[in-house]
Amino acid sequence: MSTPAPAWVVAGPPGAGKSTVAALLLASLDPVPALLDKDTMYGSFVAATLAASARPPGEREGPWYDEHIKVHEYAGLTATAREIRSHGCPVLLSGPFTGQIHDVGRWRSWVAELGGGTVRLVWVRSDPATVRHRLTARGLDRDAAKLASFAEFTDRIRLGTEPAAPHLTVDNRLVAATPLAAQVAGLIAEAEHNGSGGLT
């Protein structure tokens, strides 16, 4: 196909509620996109790589992780999304994507790597209180290091900083005034009204 199928990118910090937002989008979009969730696709790969390299099991951030693991996670997600889209099936990618969404030049390059066309970014807004609450509640081993050095973690992921890339926002803070389902329905309507919505 000369024009790839649309792509949705649900981005935000760990504990922001990306999976919940992705599920609401998948339940509402027609045709339903193929879901490419970073943790689902690469969770066991990451755990095995950390163990083989004698790294802490909860390490999910930092220079070593970025160089030896994250680069491969994102390259795999990107190549898979591009291939699926090229055959006419829309995709929905779910992950932090911190570097891509906070740099306009990097965002444009990534959109090209995804195959170009319509790529809509949905940013899940959160705050420290919400992220701490949700990371604690879900009780995953991979979150232990984040909670142990929480201030450093929130600085690193630029929590609360609006993306530089064009985006639609879903407010999933504990203090959000509008129910999440209503927000997602609204952003779908906005995206459909605006066509590509400029989110490319």
Side-chain angles (χ1 to χ4, degrees):
M1 296 180 62
S2 57
T3 302
W8 292 77
V9 177
V10 177
K18 295 184 296 297
S19 296
T20 302
V21 172
L24 289 168
L25 283 167
L26 293 168
S28 303
L29 294 170
D30 185 18
V32 180
L35 174 62
L36 302 177
D37 182 283
K38 183 179 80 69
D39 291 334
T40 302
M41 293 178 67
Y42 292 106
S44 61
F45 160 79
V46 170
T49 303
L50 290 172
S53 304
R55 305 293 297 190
E59 183 175 358
R60 293 298 187 278
E61 299 288 337
W64 189 92
Y65 184 88
D66 291 351
E67 179 182 353
H68 296 283
I69 295 180
K70 184 183 285 187
V71 64
H72 301 294
E73 289 181 292
Y74 283 174
L77 278 168
T78 301
T80 302
R82 182 185 183 114
E83 186 171 7
I84 292 171
R85 296 179 70 210
S86 72
H87 294 288
C89 179
V91 299
L92 188 156
L93 298 97
S94 178
F97 302 113
T98 306
Q100 288 85 349
I101 68 175
H102 289 292
D103 183 303
V104 172
R106 189 169 175 186
W107 171 258
R108 289 174 180 160
S109 296
W110 189 44
V111 168
E113 292 171 11
L114 287 167
T118 299
V119 179
R120 296 184 174 103
L121 171 60
V122 177
W123 179 58
V124 185
R125 182 183 181 190
S126 193
D127 59 19
T130 301
V131 168
R132 184 189 289 276
H133 171 79
R134 290 185 173 139
L135 291 182
T136 301
R138 72 187 190 182
L140 298 176
D141 289 342
R142 68 171 185 258
D143 295 329
K146 302 180 183 74
L147 290 167
S149 302
F150 191 71
E152 293 85 348
F153 164 66
T154 55
D155 286 345
R156 228 173 15 246
I157 63 174
R158 304 179 70 172
L159 182 61
T161 302
E162 288 267 349
H167 62 282
L168 299 162
T169 299
V170 172
D171 187 354
N172 199 29
R173 296 174 299 165
L174 294 172
V175 297
T178 304
L180 200 58
Q183 293 186 61
V184 171
L187 72 83
I188 291 174
E190 180 182 346
E192 291 176 347
H193 176 73
N194 294 333
S196 69
L199 307 178
T200 56

